[in-house]
Amino acid sequence: MKKSSSLHRFLINIYGYTFFDKLLLLTPVYAIFMQQHGITDMQLSLLFILLSVGTFTGQIPVTWLMNKIGPKYAMIIGQILKGIGFIIWLFWPVFIGFAIGMFLWGVMYAIYNVALEGMIYDELRARRNHKIYAKVLGVQRNISSAATALSAFGSLLMFAGYNWITYVSLVMLAISVIFIWRIETNAYPRGRKQNIRKIRFITVFKTGARICRVTPCIFLMMVLTVLVECMAYLDDYLSPIGYEIGLPVEFVGIIQFFILGCVILGQTFAYRFARVKDWIIYSTICVGGVLFVLFSVFYSVSGLWLLGGAYVLFSAVSILLYARFQDFLPSSYRSVILSIYSIANNIIYIVVCMLIGLGGLLGGWRYSVLILGMGLIYIGAWALLFVGDKCAVNAAPNDRRIKNIARAANNAS
């Protein structure tokens, strides 16, 4: 009973943090605010890329910080950095100010990727409930999607002024910090201290990279998860796509609500397929890619059902792939490998942004969707032909092999 109660409190705080972290009324209006202050389309794209740069360049210091003070306090620092970025936008609305804010937001994402994702899995394992990780991940992402959908109402409140919306968003960040503060950790005991000076951190990071490189089920699942997540991510471009297919400007938010509904549908039922055969997952990637291509062909409001279907599939596949990736990670190197994962994710996302821009240069966003769809079909086919069952549920390396790999890497260093 005590263990169940502890797990319940932990999950309530995680879900509470997730909800208020995403409940930002700034979400639908900050890009418009930037452009109203002289930011061009190209500069806006550079700011999105800078956010990713902040995320992957922050991975090593963030991982060091998490090992120094623990994931809980690292997450609090991340929220403070994001809040500082929003304040800078408000009082210094020029390109440099926006750039600093986006970079700080990117660093916060680095903390989120390493600290939160690793802590959830480790805490479930510490409570002997790691088998429900895929279900917890699905619920968490649904809560995130619901909060993001509610944030879309921020555009309806612009009559009150951007300042007011910023202040409310900062209050939401403060509430999310309260939920983080309430988290009780079992995998990171309060009395445990680590002397980072005694840890050769760069050696540990190199060891984590070697583990990824020489362990097929970790490396392949990392590559596959990153490629699918990035190639199937059109969220930042949904509004311009909606406008291009004929939706009036005041109704472009409808496409975001619709896509979020599709994402929630896929995430809700993803855990039910946690044990499906690998070839089914890889084939689903191909099917989702085909739906992207079809949407680019029938590029209209009625064709949104094709895009929505693709989002249902990819939101479920992303959870299944990421849950398997977490299953394969050794606990002692989880935070380091998640840092490497986050770096790879942001580098690939920058490449995807460039591909989307290339599609725009070819004549419109429909060509961007076509390029991504073809890429996803290729990724699914590659997984079917060359990954096969190397990343099966029972293919995780044993602890003895991981220790041998780590020992060999440390000796080489």
mmCIF file of all heavy atoms in Angstrom, residues 121 125 130 133 275 322-330 334 393 396-397:
data_model
loop_
_atom_site.group_PDB
_atom_site.id
_atom_site.type_symbol
_atom_site.label_atom_id
_atom_site.label_comp_id
_atom_site.label_asym_id
_atom_site.label_seq_id
_atom_site.Cartn_x
_atom_site.Cartn_y
_atom_site.Cartn_z
ATOM 1 N N TYR A 121 11.909 7.093 -15.620
ATOM 2 C CA TYR A 121 12.208 5.666 -15.778
ATOM 3 C C TYR A 121 12.886 5.105 -14.531
ATOM 4 O O TYR A 121 12.522 4.042 -14.034
ATOM 5 C CB TYR A 121 13.089 5.438 -17.005
ATOM 6 C CG TYR A 121 13.221 3.971 -17.390
ATOM 7 C CD1 TYR A 121 12.328 3.392 -18.285
ATOM 8 C CD2 TYR A 121 14.192 3.172 -16.818
ATOM 9 C CE1 TYR A 121 12.412 2.066 -18.625
ATOM 10 C CE2 TYR A 121 14.301 1.827 -17.145
ATOM 11 C CZ TYR A 121 13.407 1.274 -18.049
ATOM 12 O OH TYR A 121 13.504 -0.050 -18.368
ATOM 13 N N ARG A 125 11.520 2.201 -11.974
ATOM 14 C CA ARG A 125 12.325 1.003 -11.711
ATOM 15 C C ARG A 125 12.610 0.857 -10.217
ATOM 16 O O ARG A 125 12.555 -0.254 -9.667
ATOM 17 C CB ARG A 125 13.634 1.058 -12.501
ATOM 18 C CG ARG A 125 14.532 -0.155 -12.287
ATOM 19 C CD ARG A 125 15.761 -0.121 -13.175
ATOM 20 N NE ARG A 125 15.415 -0.400 -14.561
ATOM 21 C CZ ARG A 125 15.260 -1.630 -15.050
ATOM 22 N NH1 ARG A 125 15.407 -2.693 -14.258
ATOM 23 N NH2 ARG A 125 14.952 -1.812 -16.314
ATOM 24 N N HIS A 130 8.698 -0.429 -13.572
ATOM 25 C CA HIS A 130 9.199 0.066 -14.852
ATOM 26 C C HIS A 130 8.446 -0.516 -16.046
ATOM 27 O O HIS A 130 8.514 0.027 -17.145
ATOM 28 C CB HIS A 130 10.699 -0.219 -14.988
ATOM 29 C CG HIS A 130 11.040 -1.667 -15.034
ATOM 30 N ND1 HIS A 130 11.102 -2.449 -13.889
ATOM 31 C CD2 HIS A 130 11.331 -2.483 -16.076
ATOM 32 C CE1 HIS A 130 11.430 -3.674 -14.235
ATOM 33 N NE2 HIS A 130 11.562 -3.737 -15.551
ATOM 34 N N TYR A 133 6.156 1.867 -17.911
ATOM 35 C CA TYR A 133 6.765 3.100 -18.415
ATOM 36 C C TYR A 133 6.074 3.597 -19.687
ATOM 37 O O TYR A 133 5.797 4.786 -19.824
ATOM 38 C CB TYR A 133 8.252 2.879 -18.688
ATOM 39 C CG TYR A 133 8.931 4.089 -19.294
ATOM 40 C CD1 TYR A 133 9.195 5.218 -18.543
ATOM 41 C CD2 TYR A 133 9.298 4.103 -20.645
ATOM 42 C CE1 TYR A 133 9.802 6.331 -19.094
ATOM 43 C CE2 TYR A 133 9.905 5.210 -21.212
ATOM 44 C CZ TYR A 133 10.160 6.322 -20.431
ATOM 45 O OH TYR A 133 10.748 7.416 -20.987
ATOM 46 N N ARG A 275 4.272 -4.785 -26.946
ATOM 47 C CA ARG A 275 4.927 -6.066 -27.228
ATOM 48 C C ARG A 275 4.710 -6.542 -28.659
ATOM 49 O O ARG A 275 4.904 -7.728 -28.961
ATOM 50 C CB ARG A 275 4.409 -7.134 -26.258
ATOM 51 C CG ARG A 275 4.703 -6.829 -24.801
ATOM 52 C CD ARG A 275 6.176 -6.902 -24.510
ATOM 53 N NE ARG A 275 6.517 -6.403 -23.178
ATOM 54 C CZ ARG A 275 7.752 -6.394 -22.688
ATOM 55 N NH1 ARG A 275 8.755 -6.848 -23.428
ATOM 56 N NH2 ARG A 275 7.990 -5.903 -21.486
ATOM 57 N N TYR A 322 10.669 4.875 -28.197
ATOM 58 C CA TYR A 322 11.386 5.500 -27.083
ATOM 59 C C TYR A 322 11.352 4.623 -25.836
ATOM 60 O O TYR A 322 12.333 4.548 -25.091
ATOM 61 C CB TYR A 322 10.780 6.870 -26.777
ATOM 62 C CG TYR A 322 11.624 7.697 -25.845
ATOM 63 C CD1 TYR A 322 12.776 8.333 -26.303
ATOM 64 C CD2 TYR A 322 11.283 7.846 -24.500
ATOM 65 C CE1 TYR A 322 13.561 9.085 -25.450
ATOM 66 C CE2 TYR A 322 12.069 8.602 -23.647
ATOM 67 C CZ TYR A 322 13.202 9.213 -24.128
ATOM 68 O OH TYR A 322 13.986 9.958 -23.280
ATOM 69 N N ALA A 323 10.228 3.951 -25.593
ATOM 70 C CA ALA A 323 10.135 3.051 -24.441
ATOM 71 C C ALA A 323 11.130 1.896 -24.580
ATOM 72 O O ALA A 323 11.798 1.511 -23.606
ATOM 73 C CB ALA A 323 8.709 2.515 -24.300
ATOM 74 N N ARG A 324 11.266 1.340 -25.777
ATOM 75 C CA ARG A 324 12.243 0.266 -25.991
ATOM 76 C C ARG A 324 13.664 0.788 -25.826
ATOM 77 O O ARG A 324 14.522 0.113 -25.249
ATOM 78 C CB ARG A 324 12.059 -0.348 -27.373
ATOM 79 C CG ARG A 324 10.771 -1.131 -27.500
ATOM 80 C CD ARG A 324 10.767 -2.009 -28.736
ATOM 81 N NE ARG A 324 9.517 -2.744 -28.844
ATOM 82 C CZ ARG A 324 9.284 -3.705 -29.725
ATOM 83 N NH1 ARG A 324 10.221 -4.030 -30.599
ATOM 84 N NH2 ARG A 324 8.126 -4.329 -29.759
ATOM 85 N N PHE A 325 13.902 1.981 -26.337
ATOM 86 C CA PHE A 325 15.218 2.581 -26.172
ATOM 87 C C PHE A 325 15.568 2.711 -24.692
ATOM 88 O O PHE A 325 16.671 2.370 -24.259
ATOM 89 C CB PHE A 325 15.220 3.947 -26.857
ATOM 90 C CG PHE A 325 16.469 4.751 -26.635
ATOM 91 C CD1 PHE A 325 17.700 4.280 -27.073
ATOM 92 C CD2 PHE A 325 16.408 5.978 -25.991
ATOM 93 C CE1 PHE A 325 18.857 5.026 -26.873
ATOM 94 C CE2 PHE A 325 17.548 6.728 -25.789
ATOM 95 C CZ PHE A 325 18.778 6.248 -26.228
ATOM 96 N N GLN A 326 14.620 3.167 -23.881
ATOM 97 C CA GLN A 326 14.855 3.277 -22.437
ATOM 98 C C GLN A 326 15.101 1.911 -21.802
ATOM 99 O O GLN A 326 15.933 1.770 -20.905
ATOM 100 C CB GLN A 326 13.651 3.950 -21.770
ATOM 101 C CG GLN A 326 13.550 5.440 -21.997
ATOM 102 C CD GLN A 326 14.386 6.229 -21.007
ATOM 103 O OE1 GLN A 326 15.381 5.737 -20.474
ATOM 104 N NE2 GLN A 326 14.008 7.473 -20.769
ATOM 105 N N ASP A 327 14.387 0.885 -22.260
ATOM 106 C CA ASP A 327 14.570 -0.462 -21.711
ATOM 107 C C ASP A 327 15.992 -0.964 -21.900
ATOM 108 O O ASP A 327 16.503 -1.735 -21.088
ATOM 109 C CB ASP A 327 13.604 -1.450 -22.387
ATOM 110 C CG ASP A 327 12.184 -1.311 -21.870
ATOM 111 O OD1 ASP A 327 12.005 -0.768 -20.764
ATOM 112 O OD2 ASP A 327 11.250 -1.731 -22.580
ATOM 113 N N PHE A 328 16.627 -0.546 -22.981
ATOM 114 C CA PHE A 328 17.960 -1.054 -23.310
ATOM 115 C C PHE A 328 19.085 -0.324 -22.559
ATOM 116 O O PHE A 328 20.219 -0.780 -22.562
ATOM 117 C CB PHE A 328 18.227 -0.915 -24.812
ATOM 118 C CG PHE A 328 17.315 -1.741 -25.675
ATOM 119 C CD1 PHE A 328 17.005 -1.340 -26.967
ATOM 120 C CD2 PHE A 328 16.746 -2.905 -25.199
ATOM 121 C CE1 PHE A 328 16.160 -2.099 -27.768
ATOM 122 C CE2 PHE A 328 15.902 -3.665 -25.988
ATOM 123 C CZ PHE A 328 15.596 -3.268 -27.267
ATOM 124 N N LEU A 329 18.786 0.816 -21.928
ATOM 125 C CA LEU A 329 19.846 1.630 -21.349
ATOM 126 C C LEU A 329 20.279 1.125 -19.978
ATOM 127 O O LEU A 329 19.432 0.843 -19.123
ATOM 128 C CB LEU A 329 19.395 3.086 -21.215
ATOM 129 C CG LEU A 329 18.979 3.800 -22.495
ATOM 130 C CD1 LEU A 329 18.716 5.269 -22.216
ATOM 131 C CD2 LEU A 329 20.047 3.647 -23.572
ATOM 132 N N PRO A 330 21.585 1.018 -19.731
ATOM 133 C CA PRO A 330 22.076 0.676 -18.387
ATOM 134 C C PRO A 330 21.854 1.849 -17.446
ATOM 135 O O PRO A 330 22.112 3.007 -17.812
ATOM 136 C CB PRO A 330 23.568 0.417 -18.611
ATOM 137 C CG PRO A 330 23.918 1.195 -19.836
ATOM 138 C CD PRO A 330 22.684 1.183 -20.703
ATOM 139 N N ARG A 334 22.475 6.011 -17.923
ATOM 140 C CA ARG A 334 21.230 6.485 -18.530
ATOM 141 C C ARG A 334 21.289 7.981 -18.849
ATOM 142 O O ARG A 334 20.970 8.416 -19.956
ATOM 143 C CB ARG A 334 20.036 6.193 -17.623
ATOM 144 C CG ARG A 334 18.685 6.517 -18.276
ATOM 145 C CD ARG A 334 17.524 6.159 -17.344
ATOM 146 N NE ARG A 334 17.605 4.784 -16.938
ATOM 147 C CZ ARG A 334 17.228 3.745 -17.676
ATOM 148 N NH1 ARG A 334 16.725 3.955 -18.876
ATOM 149 N NH2 ARG A 334 17.340 2.515 -17.235
ATOM 150 N N VAL A 393 12.340 -6.872 -28.105
ATOM 151 C CA VAL A 393 12.150 -6.567 -26.687
ATOM 152 C C VAL A 393 13.146 -7.310 -25.814
ATOM 153 O O VAL A 393 13.638 -6.794 -24.818
ATOM 154 C CB VAL A 393 10.701 -6.926 -26.269
ATOM 155 C CG1 VAL A 393 10.521 -6.710 -24.776
ATOM 156 C CG2 VAL A 393 9.713 -6.088 -27.050
ATOM 157 N N ALA A 396 17.967 -6.701 -25.176
ATOM 158 C CA ALA A 396 18.773 -5.794 -24.358
ATOM 159 C C ALA A 396 20.021 -6.500 -23.844
ATOM 160 O O ALA A 396 19.977 -7.668 -23.452
ATOM 161 C CB ALA A 396 17.947 -5.276 -23.177
ATOM 162 N N PRO A 397 21.163 -5.817 -23.824
ATOM 163 C CA PRO A 397 22.403 -6.427 -23.352
ATOM 164 C C PRO A 397 22.356 -6.637 -21.846
ATOM 165 O O PRO A 397 21.725 -5.877 -21.113
ATOM 166 C CB PRO A 397 23.460 -5.384 -23.724
ATOM 167 C CG PRO A 397 22.722 -4.090 -23.721
ATOM 168 C CD PRO A 397 21.345 -4.415 -24.225
#
